[in-house]
């Protein structure tokens, strides 16, 4: 099942998805083997995979690349490196970003929406990756992979 803190009812439980097997078909994306799943699972978001190939022909293994400190020597915190990482720690910021975009758009439109409505919009706009076998919600993929442009 889903661990904590993702298992708390006020938290969106985010699973990790790998890059699509076919870059031309995003529906070939799948939940990674290391990602937890269960009845609390809500959505998947990109996370990469250590064993992933270069499915999008970028010249790099399909991971989530981030800026990180090369050395944590205070007071010089300017020594950065770009490195690839994988996991739900890479997936969750995608969902937080989508929530921030929804809230910013709602504010711009003058709407007063609550956290439950943001959560519902994230779920409703998700791409159902397992729609052929289990249309809609399932405990392996939740509502699907987040779909920010939707």
């Amino acid at each position: 099942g889903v661990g904590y803190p993702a298992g708390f009812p006020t938290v969106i439980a985010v699973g990790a998805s790998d890059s699509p097997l076919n870059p031309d078909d995003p529906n070939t994306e799948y939940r990674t083997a290391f990602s937890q799943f269960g009845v609390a699972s809500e959505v998947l978001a990109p996370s990469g995979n250590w064993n992933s190939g270069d499915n999008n022909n970028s010249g790099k293994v399909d991971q989530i690349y981030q800026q990180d400190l090369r050395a944590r020597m205070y007071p010089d915190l300017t020594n950065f490196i770009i490195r690839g990482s994988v996991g739900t720690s890479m997936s969750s910021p995608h969902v937080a970003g989508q929530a921030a975009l929804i809230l910013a758009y709602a504010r711009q439109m003058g709407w007063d929406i609550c956290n439950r409505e943001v959560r519902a919009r994230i779920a409703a706009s998700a791409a159902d990756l397992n729609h052929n076998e289990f249309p809609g919600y399932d405990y392996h993929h939740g509502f699907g992979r987040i779909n920010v442009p939707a």
Side-chain angles (χ1 to χ4, degrees):
V2 174
Y4 291 89
F8 288 118
T10 56
V11 176
I12 297 175
V14 179
S17 67
D18 200 355
S19 57
L21 296 173
N22 177 355
D24 297 325
D25 183 5
N27 288 325
T28 61
E29 193 169 344
Y30 58 94
R31 180 185 53 80
T32 60
F34 58 77
S35 182
Q36 293 183 352
F37 59 94
V39 293
S41 296
E42 292 186 60
V43 291
L44 298 176
S47 71
N49 192 336
W50 292 118
N51 302 321
S52 180
D54 181 14
N55 294 323
N56 63 355
N57 299 317
S58 67
K60 295 186 177 193
V61 174
D62 295 332
Q63 297 177 359
I64 305 300
Y65 289 87
Q66 66 180 14
Q67 182 175 336
D68 200 3
L69 287 171
R70 184 183 307 256
R72 298 178 188 267
M73 302 300 290
Y74 184 81
D76 181 15
L77 299 177
T78 60
N79 194 1
F80 293 103
I81 187 172
I82 302 294
R83 68 181 180 100
S85 294
V86 301
T88 52
S89 294
M90 302 294 104
S91 302
S92 297
H94 287 86
V95 180
Q98 182 180 15
L101 288 169
I102 291 169
L103 287 169
Y105 182 74
R107 176 176 280 177
Q108 181 181 4
M109 299 303 292
W111 301 338
D112 184 25
I113 66 173
C114 66
N115 293 347
R116 284 189 309 263
E117 292 170 306
V118 172
R119 188 180 209 158
R121 287 174 190 267
I122 290 171
S125 64
D128 187 358
L129 300 179
N130 202 16
H131 65 276
N132 290 332
E133 295 178 46
F134 300 102
Y137 178 86
D138 68 80
Y139 65 86
H140 282 278
H141 298 89
F143 291 102
R145 186 206 5 89
I146 63 168
N147 188 13
V148 176

